Amino acid sequence: MTPAERYARAKARQGSPEVERFRARQEFDLDPFQRDACASLEAGNSVLVAAPTGAGKTIVAEFAVHLALRDPRAKVFYTTPMKALSNQKYSELAAEHGAAQVGLLTGDSNINSGARVVVMTTEVLRNMLYADSALLTDLAFVVMDEVHYLADRFRGAVWEEVIIHLPPAVRLVSLSATVSNAEEFGDWLQAVRGHTEVIVSEERPVPLEQHVLVRGKLHDLFDGTADSTALRVNPELVRLASSGGRAPYPRQHPGRDRYRRSSGGGFRDRGGDRIGRPELIKILESQELLPAIFFIFSRIGCDSAVKQVVGSGIRLTEKWERDEIRAIVEERTRPIPDPDLSVLGYWEWLDGLQRGVAAHHAGMLPAFKEIVEELFQRKLLKAVFATETLALGVNMPARTVVLEKLEKFNGEARVPITPGEYTQLTGRAGRRGIDTQGHAVIQWAAGLDPQAVASLASRRTYPLNSSFRPTYNMAVNLIEQFGRERTREILESSFAQFQADRAVVDLARRVRKQEEALRGYAEAMTCHLGDFPEYSKLRRELSDLERKNARSEGRGGKRGSEIGGESRGVRDRRQRQIADLRRRMKQHPCHSCNDREAHSRWAERWWRLKRENDQLSSQIRGRTGAVSVVFDRISDLLLDLGYLEHTDGVWGATAPGRALRRIYGERDLLVAECLRRGAWAGLDAPALAALASSLVFEPRREERDIQDRDLPRGPFRAAKEATETIWAELSIMEEDRRLPSSGPLSHGLSLATYRWAQGASLDAVLRDADLAAGDFIRWMKQAVDLLDQLSLVADGELGRTARHAIDGIRRGIVAYSGVA
């Protein structure tokens, strides 16, 4: 270290004493971006930290916790996008600071909510802000982990609501994946939160080596020759691509069949490019590249991969590891009855774990997923086959990440993964303090383009775009607190409007430049004989009609009284128009100008640019105030329905509106309207539970037609019909006001929910639901969330029924699964 560097570091220590205290307690020294962010927090600023997965962004959040606990009263809320992450972060903070100092609020869990440090999902904090919760007193910091979730089209608006409505004194610690517009997002945070420092790091703490696996051999993606001055694609891969990947196979016994059985079952073509998963695991093991996460964009694919590997006889663990795995699994699954374990495929799952192999996806029992995460973190699992949900924040770094394909099904079609998704997935490769390098392995497939892969791998960023839109619940909450005009101002401060306004600035700049060009074109076509724009307009109209005439004649011969599919009357009328335009054009003074054709060329350019400029101006008009326009439509609908009132110029919530304030979700208005009209009166607890599942359930694929026999009997069916009638009425109102409507109700889970709430066995209910255990639990927890809202909002008997319905659902695996 030079004397100048030593002096700069000593000066930094003097200016940030808390950073130095914090730093002294860390296992690793702080990276420059971590020091800068922590120093900015100590100086009294908010921060936005954008850095790659695994770079250590959460150190900045932990420093905010450190600062809060140094103050006698200050509190910090740590928000995450998922309950699983909240649970994990709660455990980490409780271990660090003691259980008495840390709380957890996720909707499922309410632990020590008055603690100095409280971990919660972002929705919980949004609800606290709208309710003006007493827990907000003395709040000094809010950490928004994975803040790039703001772009999520279903839940992203919650992040913006929180950022806008937090008290001004609260400092924000926003942690994001690397995004290409971090400065733009930071500018918005600065506008709504006060001074915010944007700190961007592109460096991974563990360098990433990237490979392509072709027929059992790992090729570096990028050229690693000593004389290469920049990243370029490995020429060997380019050669393989040009030859269709047909690298010669080592010659074996002559006369052998060109097909042989792969170790994973089935036959593999020697002329093919892919190898079986068991063989791939052996290759990685031989090159000390385990543990590895294999990303497969399908739950069924993950489960099949585990079966394939286990079926090959692979065993990746020592005896002491198998003993430890079994002890951990038996301890964690002790509360689950043996019949349920059997239904869940426990013994097959345990066999895979003891071999060092597991799947990880949303269809698994949450308790099983948690065990997989714990075993992987303890280095007891060597190969995990996971869907991309694993890349979203769960702490499971590996030495190697394997991508079997570079495309996935998005619900409608197979699409290539984006550079952002590639970065997020490969971000799991490389364990800080353990690995000197992380490794990404891409399996060769026919048609793979190494240049495209290199482009995907080298682009580290993707844009963060707002998904914010006003909702009924949001509108009535804000109007009740701030009135309509102030609410409009608040909504116009959203990131959505900020981005729209920025786009308007760019569009307006283009309009101004093009207006200068239009003036130049107008000057160039000026004619001393008359109004050339008027003359050129006649020429354009004539040209358009003549083109239409030519197309009509080209479409075919006569058919009775029609010519080319057109009536004779239409054709005759057009001919008369053409003759009239020709006459008027010849009579125009400019027609006799010697420079007529030169003027016409400038006029054509003027018209084309004028049309483009008019379109840009229309875009500007559409974007300006886009958010507040939607809000006005929503508030007008709520006024018509009686959820809002407008008296003597003052807007406020009515009694039904105050109920709507406490109903959150995609179908907030439908739920409120059903309550108001008494559509669910007389339902018993299982029937209300079934109806709640219909309101939250979204089938993964096209739902089969639900027959009457697939629905609960009795009052449920009348309540279902009443609910669907109200939904149809609201949809018409929304369509009339150009507002988005929620889709029809899905009843595919109704019977299973009804039977579960009645006490049916897990085996019977999962057969009814035709769902994986993890999916069933997730939907049951969402139904419980809705029923919990009903228990607080609904009057009398319905509120009591909702509480009984919660008790009926929250049992068995739903009760002891802490993660949703």
Side-chain angles (χ1 to χ4, degrees):
M1 188 180 295
T2 66
E5 288 171 333
R6 284 198 298 272
Y7 172 77
R9 180 161 289 191
K11 190 171 182 182
R13 281 198 294 269
Q14 292 171 3
S16 306
E18 290 301 334
V19 174
E20 292 308 311
R21 284 194 192 92
F22 178 74
R23 180 180 159 207
R25 293 172 20 209
Q26 302 308 308
E27 184 179 352
F28 304 104
D29 193 13
L30 299 184
D31 291 335
F33 86 90
Q34 294 169 328
R35 283 198 300 272
D36 291 345
C38 292
S40 187
L41 276 178
E42 186 173 355
N45 304 319
S46 293
V47 293
L48 166 63
V49 181
T53 301
K57 297 185 288 290
T58 53
I59 282 287
V60 184
E62 288 162 17
F63 179 68
V65 173
H66 167 86
L67 285 179
L69 294 180
R70 296 281 294 178
D71 184 290
R73 299 178 61 182
K75 295 196 295 192
V76 55
F77 288 170
Y78 195 117
T79 72
T80 77
M82 294 184 291
K83 294 175 184 178
L85 295 183
S86 293
N87 291 349
Q88 187 178 81
K89 185 51 64 176
Y90 167 74
S91 299
E92 292 171 4
L93 290 171
E96 173 75 17
H97 301 286
Q101 294 273 44
V102 184
L104 176 67
L105 290 171
T106 63
D108 294 333
S109 304
N110 185 336
I111 302 171
N112 199 14
S113 61
R116 299 279 302 282
V117 183
V118 185
V119 184
M120 61 188 69
T121 53
T122 317
E123 280 87 352
V124 168
L125 178 52
R126 186 271 311 272
N127 298 352
M128 289 169 65
L129 288 166
Y130 282 161
D132 197 20
S133 169
L135 295 175
L136 296 167
T137 304
D138 296 324
L139 182 61
F141 296 93
V142 166
V143 176
M144 302 201 80
D145 203 355
E146 311 279 348
V147 75
H148 50 273
Y149 256 81
L150 180 143
D152 184 88
R153 69 188 183 101
F154 296 111
R155 299 172 57 213
V158 176
W159 274 256
E160 291 192 46
E161 290 178 75
V162 168
I163 291 168
I164 292 169
H165 297 305
L166 277 172
V170 176
R171 279 182 279 165
L172 205 59
V173 181
S174 304
L175 307 179
S176 170
T178 310
V179 293
S180 55
N181 60 336
E183 288 75 15
E184 178 189 41
F185 185 48
D187 287 347
W188 175 68
L189 290 172
Q190 171 97 7
V192 296
R193 301 296 319 159
H195 191 70
T196 302
E197 188 162 355
V198 179
I199 295 163
V200 177
S201 173
E202 301 265 355
E203 294 184 18
R204 289 174 48 99
V206 180
L208 181 68
E209 291 291 316
Q210 307 191 70
H211 318 277
V212 178
L213 180 74
V214 187
R215 293 176 146 197
K217 182 179 178 182
L218 287 175
H219 297 263
D220 290 339
L221 175 60
F222 294 107
D223 184 10
T225 56
D227 61 348
S228 60
T229 56
L231 285 177
R232 68 187 184 99
V233 178
N234 186 342
E236 176 68 9
L237 282 178
V238 175
R239 187 189 67 75
L240 285 170
S242 64
S243 64
R246 301 301 183 201
Y249 241 100
R251 190 167 181 81
Q252 298 188 13
H253 301 293
R256 289 279 296 273
D257 190 273
R258 75 185 293 261
Y259 295 96
R260 64 186 180 89
R261 186 175 294 277
S262 73
S263 57
F267 287 93
R268 180 165 63 80
D269 183 350
R270 280 216 205 135
D273 309 313
R274 300 178 76 84
I275 64 171
R277 294 179 181 115
E279 294 173 87
L280 175 51
I281 288 175
K282 288 175 183 174
I283 290 169
L284 297 179
E285 185 180 31
S286 69
Q287 301 196 30
E288 298 185 349
L289 293 179
L290 295 179
I293 296 172
F294 296 71
F295 281 110
I296 300 174
F297 303 114
S298 147
R299 299 175 183 186
I300 294 174
C302 292
D303 293 334
S304 298
V306 172
K307 288 180 182 177
Q308 184 185 42
V309 173
V310 169
S312 74
I314 275 184
R315 191 179 296 279
L316 303 170
T317 51
E318 304 289 339
K319 183 180 185 306
W320 70 267
E321 292 175 309
R322 293 194 287 276
D323 292 342
E324 189 170 343
I325 288 168
R326 189 175 189 101
I328 291 170
V329 172
E330 288 178 350
E331 172 64 26
R332 300 291 184 271
T333 59
R334 186 167 289 126
I336 306 177
D338 286 345
D340 286 359
L341 287 176
S342 179
V343 171
L344 297 166
Y346 170 81
W347 299 108
E348 296 87 348
W349 174 68
L350 178 60
D351 181 35
L353 294 179
Q354 290 182 295
R355 292 173 181 273
V357 182
H360 186 288
H361 57 73
M364 293 170 63
L365 186 74
F368 284 16
K369 273 200 304 180
E370 289 176 327
I371 291 167
V372 170
E373 291 160 16
E374 180 179 353
L375 295 178
F376 198 83
Q377 288 160 10
R378 293 191 183 206
K379 308 180 187 66
L380 295 170
L381 291 182
K382 317 301 179 183
V384 170
F385 296 91
T387 57
E388 70 267 34
T389 53
L390 176 60
L392 300 174
V394 177
N395 182 25
M396 279 180 63
R399 176 164 293 169
T400 303
V401 162
V402 179
L403 299 179
E404 294 196 350
K405 293 181 180 177
L406 295 178
E407 61 176 24
K408 66 176 187 177
F409 185 70
N410 67 358
E412 297 176 358
R414 300 207 67 82
V415 296
I417 63 172
T418 66
E421 288 168 334
Y422 183 91
T423 302
Q424 192 89 355
L425 295 168
T426 57
R428 291 281 151 212
R431 299 164 299 175
R432 190 167 189 168
I434 302 175
D435 300 319
T436 57
Q437 291 178 325
H439 298 267
V441 175
I442 298 149
Q443 280 221 8
W444 184 276
L448 188 74
D449 178 4
Q451 296 285 0
V453 177
S455 172
L456 193 68
S458 350
R459 289 167 61 198
R460 296 282 178 212
T461 58
Y462 54 100
L464 177 61
N465 293 315
S466 173
S467 61
F468 181 85
R469 61 178 178 84
T471 66
Y472 298 109
N473 169 277
M474 183 194 304
V476 76
N477 265 295
L478 294 180
I479 287 174
E480 180 72 354
Q481 286 183 282
F482 304 110
R484 181 168 175 172
E485 290 311 309
R486 173 70 181 126
T487 295
R488 291 179 94 257
E489 293 173 13
I490 290 169
L491 295 178
E492 285 172 348
S493 68
S494 66
F495 187 44
Q497 190 60 56
F498 185 84
Q499 288 193 305
D501 290 343
R502 285 240 165 154
V504 165
V505 169
D506 292 337
L507 290 172
R509 188 181 298 117
R510 284 177 61 191
V511 165
R512 285 194 299 273
K513 285 181 66 176
Q514 291 183 178
E515 282 174 347
E516 292 175 15
L518 284 169
R519 285 192 291 272
Y521 293 166
E523 187 175 337
M525 68 174 172
T526 301
C527 178
H528 66 289
L529 295 177
D531 185 345
F532 203 87
E534 181 183 71
Y535 175 74
S536 68
K537 186 178 180 183
L538 292 173
R539 284 182 59 136
R540 287 175 62 83
E541 290 177 6
L542 177 60
S543 178
D544 288 344
L545 284 173
E546 286 177 336
R547 273 198 299 272
K548 283 183 183 177
N549 211 42
R551 283 199 300 269
S552 173
E553 289 177 348
R555 275 198 294 264
K558 297 181 180 180
R559 291 192 298 272
S561 63
E562 295 185 354
I563 301 175
E566 265 185 358
S567 71
R568 187 175 296 279
V570 169
R571 180 178 172 80
D572 289 347
R573 186 163 55 252
R574 187 188 301 124
Q575 292 286 19
R576 288 194 297 272
Q577 289 174 322
I578 289 171
D580 181 58
L581 283 170
R582 284 176 178 161
R583 178 184 55 77
R584 289 166 59 195
M585 191 180 71
K586 288 177 182 177
Q587 290 174 351
H588 197 283
C590 293
H591 189 67
S592 58
C593 178
N594 293 333
D595 296 322
R596 181 184 69 199
E597 294 310 311
H599 291 334
S600 292
R601 285 192 291 273
W602 285 111
E604 190 57 36
R605 294 176 189 173
W606 187 91
W607 281 109
R608 280 201 301 267
L609 193 58
K610 174 74 165 56
R611 183 170 61 246
E612 183 181 334
N613 226 35
D614 288 344
Q615 290 171 348
L616 290 176
S617 298
S618 176
Q619 286 183 47
I620 289 172
R621 287 192 299 273
R623 293 189 182 205
T624 304
V627 174
S628 56
V629 166
V630 175
F631 164 73
D632 286 342
R633 293 171 185 165
I634 284 175
S635 54
D636 287 343
L637 176 56
L638 291 174
L639 182 67
D640 291 347
L641 288 171
Y643 289 91
L644 293 174
E645 57 187 1
H646 182 210
T647 308
D648 299 328
V650 177
W651 286 72
T654 61
R658 286 189 287 277
L660 177 56
R661 288 187 66 185
R662 300 161 71 188
I663 299 169
Y664 300 94
E666 287 290 307
R667 300 186 187 275
D668 48 6
L669 183 57
L670 175 60
V671 172
E673 194 68 358
C674 287
L675 287 178
R676 189 169 72 159
R677 298 196 200 179
W680 303 333
L683 290 177
D684 61 11
L688 185 59
L691 195 61
S693 76
S694 298
L695 289 160
V696 299
F697 178 56
E698 295 173 10
R700 294 189 71 217
R701 291 186 177 86
E702 194 69 28
E703 188 178 52
R704 62 186 173 85
D705 290 336
I706 302 298
Q707 307 296 323
D708 281 350
R709 65 175 179 275
D710 299 322
L711 294 172
R713 298 183 182 279
F716 170 85
R717 298 190 182 188
K720 164 191 168 290
E721 290 178 8
T723 304
E724 289 176 334
T725 298
I726 295 169
W727 170 81
E729 292 172 3
L730 291 177
S731 295
I732 292 169
M733 295 179 193
E734 288 166 330
E735 186 178 342
D736 289 345
R737 290 166 174 79
R738 287 178 293 163
L739 288 168
S741 174
S742 60
L745 276 65
S746 293
H747 301 290
L749 201 52
S750 300
L751 184 59
T753 307
Y754 184 82
R755 296 187 64 194
W756 179 252
Q758 285 183 319
S761 70
L762 177 64
D763 186 26
V765 166
L766 290 183
R767 280 201 310 271
D768 279 346
D770 192 25
L771 282 178
D775 290 327
F776 178 70
I777 290 168
R778 187 170 68 257
W779 293 121
M780 289 303 94
K781 286 183 177 292
Q782 290 198 30
V784 166
D785 283 346
L786 176 56
L787 290 165
D788 190 46
Q789 294 173 37
L790 295 181
S791 73
L792 298 173
V793 173
D795 295 327
E797 185 62 31
L798 185 59
R800 289 190 290 275
T801 303
R803 287 189 285 276
H804 292 317
I806 292 170
D807 294 339
I809 292 178
R810 196 182 275 156
R811 66 179 183 86
I813 61 170
V814 177
Y816 50 64
S817 298
V819 182

